[in-house]
Amino acid sequence: MTTQLPVPLQWKLVIDAADPHTQADFWAAALHYTAEDNSALVERLLSIGALPGEATVEYHGRPAFRDLIAVRHPDDPYDPQTGTGLGRRLLFQRVPEPKTGKNRLHLDLHPGPERRAEEVARLRTLGARVLQEVKEPSGQWVVMADPEGNEFCVQ
């Protein structure tokens, strides 16, 4: 008798943001990801009256949703009809309230010990800041914050 393994679930990490498009630009550059191009979907929704114009913005010369945008791994598949990624994605959604405490979930970036300092310097030029440099018997890493203060680590 063969046991069929369950199909893994697709997922995306949703991150609250004051300015989703600025966050998308930072994280696309930080991860070498691609900002999703949902312009065909936005235009289609506008044309049938399903999306009001005030719910859109111009983003890199194309129409986009005002309150959300995702970045995806450039090698992962995406739906050409909507521009929506079908793999590793971060989705930034606008929220009215500011960040008030420590993240309960964060990203760890793994450039390796030989590239850590170079990567930290590159991320600083993109707008991140160093919060703490950790050296413990279990390892070394740098705790950083993105432009809106969300913590992440560089291992």
Side-chain angles (χ1 to χ4, degrees):
M1 176 163 79
T2 61
T3 304
Q4 187 155 9
L5 296 174
V7 176
L9 297 174
Q10 290 187 7
W11 60 271
K12 65 181 169 278
L13 179 62
V14 180
I15 301 170
D16 293 347
D19 184 342
H21 300 89
T22 298
Q23 285 293 89
D25 284 342
F26 171 81
W27 282 103
L31 298 172
H32 305 290
Y33 272 33
T34 301
E36 290 183 353
D37 178 358
N38 303 119
S39 60
L41 175 61
V42 169
E43 289 171 345
R44 188 166 53 249
L45 294 173
L46 285 168
S47 72
I48 63 172
L51 183 69
E54 57 271 9
T56 68
V57 295
E58 184 176 309
Y59 175 68
H60 298 293
R62 58 187 188 254
F65 294 106
R66 183 182 86 84
D67 293 330
L68 57 91
I69 187 163
V71 299
R72 65 175 176 79
H73 190 286
D75 295 336
D76 285 354
Y78 67 95
D79 179 344
Q81 300 296 315
T82 65
T84 301
L86 302 172
R88 295 162 279 188
R89 303 171 67 220
L90 300 177
L91 175 73
F92 301 94
Q93 69 178 4
R94 186 181 311 278
V95 296
E97 66 277 353
K99 181 181 178 304
T100 58
K102 185 180 183 308
N103 297 4
R104 298 295 294 180
L105 179 72
H106 71 265
L107 297 177
D108 280 355
L109 309 184
H110 294 272
E114 68 286 346
R115 290 187 31 230
R116 183 182 309 117
E118 175 186 332
E119 193 63 21
V120 166
R122 185 183 75 83
L123 293 164
R124 289 181 72 168
T125 66
L126 296 174
R129 66 184 192 283
V130 172
L131 300 178
Q132 180 183 10
E133 294 188 24
V134 179
K135 294 180 182 177
E136 295 182 352
S138 61
Q140 294 183 348
W141 62 92
V142 178
V143 181
M144 300 187 78
D146 73 13
E148 290 196 5
N150 300 301
E151 297 92 1
F152 65 98
C153 294
V154 180
Q155 303 248 324

